[in-house]
Amino acid sequence: MNETIRTDRMDRIDHETDLCIVGGGLSGLCAAVAAAREGVRVIIMQDRPMLGGNASSEIRVWVRGAKGLHNRETGIISELEEDNIYRNPELNYSVWDSVMWEKAKNEKNIELILNCSCCDAETVTENGVSRIISVTGWQLTTYSWHTVKAKYFADCSGDSVLATVSGAKWRVGREARNEYDEAIGHELADRKTMGMSCLIQARETGRPVKFVAPEWAHVYNSDADFNFVCDRTGNSVRSPKKVADGSLSIADQTINVVTSMSRPHKLGTSETNFWWIEMGGDRDSIRDTEAMRDELLKIAYGIWDFIKNRGGEPNSENWELSWVGFLPGKRESRRYIGQYVMTENDIEAGGKFEDTVAYGGWPMDDHNPAGFMSYEYSFPPSVLFPAPSPYGIPYRVLYGPDVSNMFFAGRNISVTHAALSSTRVMATCALIGQAMGTAASICINKEETPHGVYLNRLDELQSKLLDQGCFLPGFKRRIPELTLGAKLNITDGERAVLFNGEERPDADGKINYVTLPVGGELSFDFGEEKELGTLRLLFDPDFSRKSVSKNKKMRVFAQASSIGFDFSPMTVAATLVKEFEVFVDGEKVFSTDTCHNSLVRIALARNGRKVTVRFGATWGADSVHLFSADIS
Ligand SMILES: Cc1cc2nc3c(=O)[nH]c(=O)nc-3n(C[C@H](O)[C@H](O)[C@H](O)COP(=O)(O)OP(=O)(O)OC[C@H]3O[C@@H](n4cnc5c(N)ncnc54)[C@H](O)[C@@H]3O)c2cc1C
């Protein structure tokens, strides 16, 4: 129940909920949806008009995650992508915003407070440990203060806005190498971070388009004015001689790198998103944001002028500048110091944690703090160090010992700078958010503490995540007892595959799904009447991605940057099943002809002896690929 107190000054609106999430990027959104689906009342306080953070239309960073054909992220992030492909095949960014917004809106337990910037918190200290009572934010559109009281809070703001007001431990910058014995580390700790960026997008038009550069734009007459000539040998990079204070050096030793990055500006659908228009890592990544934005705009417009008018791209005549980001996207600022600090060494060892609740697999992509200005030092904008894919991320990096009722998820989790350079990618952040929201729901529903979940309810947390379709490397999903007692109309071999608890192909090529004919049926006969709860079906999302797009980068995640004439609309994965019906003891209880998701849960909520699923058309495949089917 919200209470509005009207004063002669600004309105003050009080809310009360179970879980208040500050920040609605992909980590905050996935956390909220996961918690809400566990019956928890959630409020998201988000300072922008839309959800999605860096993935939204305001910033337009591409969602990336673990490398490798079969390592795609599943769970809520894949549900979002599947909805986007179905609703938004042209990859319009405004429609993508609406897909994320409706994901929250469709959950009856989620309340959104948008355009509301959290700026304070009320806390109490009990036995040296802090507890948050409420957070307060200013809503730009209504000129009102919103105060949210909650049992639990989650900081998904990226910048860790609650760090300075909650009593939590946090840090900013790069650790000294000897702190955690990290090879990527620097001799001395500093406050430098990866920078922030304003991206640009262009569109091919079919007619010549002029561009008049603003007077304030920087001028670049050749690549040599801003580009680093990159070493793509994959062997080694040595610290540059021209570094004035040593701070730009990645190391004074030879380090094995995957590759170092240059600043590409070729125009085309599967080409760059201009991530390298980056500044601010050598400044204060929070306080200097406005100054950095002004500088980034001068660079962005200067780069487009170079491309169009100064010979940067010979085929640019018919391309127009379609969008320039005015809100800098942030890569790094404050990170919490949690129950455990995950390091480069943990990543390199494959992250084999007993409390794995998410995973990563992006290389350690360590951006130069000088960002765009790093060219002055003949040093690359980013260096990629190899990381195994997938590696596990432990639960203990999502909460700390200093605040009893706060979680964190996203780029502010308890990792070192080196580890963050991999965990920060958004599909990974989304998994981390889903894990955090699920853990918070256990705290709320079972009156458990965050650390109590680690000590007493880890199996419950991991089982819930596996049931939600999340992949946890090294863990198998348990099949519900009810299902194991049923007789199925498939062979024993097929039954073994369906119930093996593995829901994606193995690295060794084992496909792990059962193939059924279109028009075929799968039935569960329990022999006697049983209480039937939920039917869970997991279809093959097409891990190869070949059926969703012919544009290479769009196969990774359904988002575009520049759009050329070679763009073709996305198509729902051919392996997904569009039409199916469910019968209990011969009575039809569910049917759909618009299904476009890989994970489907249908509430049966009745007693029955036999459940039959009849599969109709797929989105193109000539058979149905089923990773799992069970009833609980
Ligand atoms: C230019 C750039 C390129 C990148 N490239 C990639 C890439 O190719 N692929 C990839 O996956 N990742 C990439 N990243 C990293 C990735 O975008 C971030 O690490 C990721 O967005 C972090 O997710 P998050 O949910 O923690 O934070 P965010 O996405 O930043 O979301 C946090 C949200 O909280 C809101 N917020 C902040 N403060 C408050 C407050 N006080 N009150 C209320 N709300 C608040 C913010 O407005 C934002 O919407 C890139 C980042 C940048 C900047």
Side-chain angles (χ1 to χ4, degrees):
M1 180 72 168
N2 304 340
E3 193 191 341
T4 305
I5 299 170
R6 297 194 184 284
T7 67
D8 55 350
R9 294 167 66 82
M10 303 296 172
D11 287 352
R12 206 158 43 75
I13 304 170
D14 290 323
H15 309 255
E16 187 272 325
T17 192
D18 295 327
L19 172 65
C20 175
I21 297 178
V22 176
L26 282 179
S27 60
L29 173 59
C30 291
V33 171
R37 288 178 180 174
E38 293 291 325
V40 164
R41 293 173 305 142
V42 183
I43 285 180
I44 305 179
M45 184 180 280
Q46 157 75 343
D47 66 359
R48 311 302 309 169
M50 68 281 286
L51 298 165
N54 283 354
S56 74
S57 64
E58 281 193 315
I59 299 179
R60 307 194 183 194
V61 167
W62 289 329
V63 176
R64 292 293 178 265
K67 295 272 186 189
L69 186 60
H70 298 140
N71 293 330
R72 275 188 83 65
E73 291 73 11
T74 44
I76 296 166
I77 186 65
S78 65
E79 192 181 313
L80 279 164
E81 196 211 18
E82 287 161 359
D83 290 352
N84 195 39
I85 292 174
Y86 174 66
R87 284 238 283 106
N88 184 22
E90 302 289 335
L91 301 182
N92 177 304
Y93 259 99
S94 300
V95 179
W96 165 233
D97 284 343
S98 79
V99 167
M100 292 186 283
W101 176 78
E102 79 185 10
K103 188 59 65 192
K105 276 287 184 192
N106 285 348
E107 294 295 334
K108 66 177 184 340
N109 286 331
I110 297 183
E111 184 183 342
L112 286 177
I113 309 181
L114 296 178
N115 294 306
C116 187
S117 185
C118 175
C119 38
D120 205 358
E122 185 192 347
T123 60
V124 288
T125 304
E126 296 156 339
N127 303 322
V129 177
S130 163
R131 186 163 62 84
I132 304 177
I133 306 288
S134 66
V135 296
T136 295
W138 169 252
Q139 194 171 45
L140 192 68
T141 47
T142 60
Y143 299 102
S144 48
W145 293 103
H146 289 257
T147 294
V148 182
K149 277 192 180 158
K151 294 174 188 154
Y152 276 84
F153 294 83
D155 190 336
C156 296
S157 67
D159 282 346
S160 302
V161 62
L162 295 179
T164 52
V165 290
S166 66
K169 282 205 182 68
W170 56 275
R171 73 181 290 166
V172 69
R174 307 181 292 189
E175 289 79 2
R177 193 175 303 143
N178 64 7
E179 275 185 69
Y180 293 98
D181 197 21
E182 293 177 310
I184 298 176
H186 299 255
E187 208 49 54
L188 298 175
D190 61 29
R191 291 180 63 83
K192 297 190 176 182
T193 63
M194 294 176 274
M196 58 193 90
S197 294
C198 287
L199 305 184
I200 64 178
Q201 293 189 341
R203 196 170 66 89
E204 196 173 13
T205 64
R207 60 180 168 76
V209 179
K210 274 194 173 166
F211 175 71
V212 180
E215 276 181 14
W216 43 261
H218 288 321
V219 176
Y220 307 105
N221 285 309
S222 81
D223 266 82
D225 283 353
F226 63 90
N227 220 339
F228 168 77
V229 182
C230 85
D231 163 15
R232 286 192 177 269
T233 60
N235 291 329
S236 64
V237 166
R238 282 203 151 271
S239 60
K241 299 221 164 38
K242 275 177 75 178
V243 173
D245 60 356
S247 56
L248 289 177
S249 162
I250 50 161
D252 52 10
Q253 60 181 9
T254 302
I255 291 180
N256 181 31
V257 294
V258 176
T259 183
S260 54
M261 310 290 281
S262 64
R263 298 187 172 88
H265 43 72
K266 197 168 161 205
L267 299 174
T269 301
S270 281
E271 301 296 339
T272 185
N273 62 1
F274 297 90
W275 56 268
W276 43 267
I277 300 177
E278 174 177 0
M279 296 283 293
D282 49 1
R283 303 276 291 266
D284 185 314
S285 60
I286 293 177
R287 291 192 175 89
D288 291 329
T289 305
E290 292 294 301
M292 290 299 98
R293 188 262 331 288
D294 291 355
E295 188 58 26
L296 287 164
L297 288 176
K298 291 178 193 170
I299 299 171
Y301 277 85
I303 290 292
W304 188 250
D305 180 42
F306 167 67
I307 287 172
K308 285 290 287 186
N309 303 327
R310 297 173 188 274
E313 281 299 332
N315 300 324
S316 62
E317 194 182 17
N318 291 353
W319 285 77
E320 70 174 3
L321 184 63
S322 55
W323 174 84
V324 178
F326 247 73
L327 177 68
K330 300 245 188 100
R331 286 183 178 83
E332 180 179 358
S333 38
R334 301 180 193 117
R335 303 187 304 278
Y336 284 101
I337 298 177
Q339 195 69 35
Y340 182 77
V341 179
M342 187 179 176
T343 68
E344 172 195 339
N345 296 320
D346 289 323
I347 290 182
E348 283 166 352
K352 296 190 173 29
F353 296 101
E354 39 138 24
D355 59 333
T356 293
V357 289
Y359 69 94
W362 185 257
M364 286 177 274
D365 179 0
D366 191 16
H367 284 232
N368 191 313
F372 190 79
M373 302 313 290
S374 68
Y375 74 90
E376 288 185 355
Y377 301 90
S378 298
F379 206 69
S382 179
V383 178
L384 277 70
F385 301 87
S389 182
Y391 62 81
I393 297 175
Y395 168 61
R396 283 162 295 150
V397 301
L398 309 183
Y399 65 94
D402 320 295
V403 185
S404 64
N405 64 342
M406 183 175 78
F407 285 96
F408 22 87
R411 67 179 164 85
N412 62 359
I413 59 170
S414 178
V415 289
T416 61
H417 166 87
L420 172 75
S421 69
S422 170
T423 61
R424 68 194 173 91
V425 288
M426 284 181 283
T428 306
C429 288
L431 296 181
I432 291 169
Q434 185 161 356
M436 184 278 277
T438 306
S441 76
I442 295 176
C443 289
I444 290 158
N445 291 335
K446 304 278 171 68
E447 297 195 358
E448 189 57 271
T449 62
H451 195 53
V453 170
Y454 171 68
L455 296 174
N456 311 317
R457 295 184 182 273
L458 206 49
D459 180 65
E460 185 179 339
L461 172 59
Q462 289 166 328
S463 300
K464 278 183 188 291
L465 291 169
L466 291 164
D467 281 348
Q468 292 168 20
C470 295
F471 169 57
L472 303 182
F475 293 79
K476 286 186 184 182
R477 179 172 168 264
R478 276 198 298 275
I479 307 304
E481 282 300 315
L482 179 67
T483 302
L484 292 175
K487 194 167 173 317
L488 273 68
N489 65 331
I490 52 177
T491 66
D492 287 350
E494 288 170 327
R495 183 186 166 108
V497 171
L498 208 57
F499 293 170
N500 71 3
E502 294 181 52
E503 302 197 319
R504 58 180 58 211
D506 289 351
D508 61 12
K510 214 169 94 202
I511 57 173
N512 282 324
Y513 59 67
V514 167
T515 305
L516 297 169
V518 172
E521 289 184 353
L522 179 71
S523 65
F524 301 78
D525 191 338
F526 299 101
E528 58 181 329
E529 194 162 280
K530 297 278 184 190
E531 207 180 311
L532 307 172
T534 302
L535 167 68
R536 179 185 185 276
L537 300 170
L538 185 67
F539 301 115
D540 176 9
D542 183 8
F543 281 90
S544 84
R545 311 301 284 165
K546 287 195 177 135
S547 63
V548 300
S549 178
K550 72 171 195 186
N551 298 108
K552 231 170 96 196
K553 292 212 166 126
M554 272 102 260
R555 280 184 187 165
V556 185
F557 196 90
Q559 277 172 311
S561 180
S562 297
I563 301 253
F565 286 155
D566 61 328
F567 173 78
S568 61
M570 304 291 292
T571 44
V572 176
T575 48
L576 293 178
V577 176
K578 188 178 183 180
E579 298 171 4
F580 64 91
E581 297 171 320
V582 181
F583 301 84
V584 174
D585 296 335
E587 182 193 345
K588 193 192 291 185
V589 296
F590 178 85
S591 76
T592 177
D593 57 5
T594 55
C595 180
H596 53 271
N597 291 115
S598 46
L599 178 64
V600 185
R601 289 161 177 266
I602 297 153
L604 299 174
R606 69 191 64 222
N607 289 351
R609 174 190 159 137
K610 189 170 176 186
V611 177
T612 304
V613 188
R614 185 177 298 154
F615 301 104
T618 66
W619 287 90
D622 50 16
S623 56
V624 172
H625 300 171
L626 204 53
F627 277 111
S628 280
D630 44 70
I631 298 159
S632 53

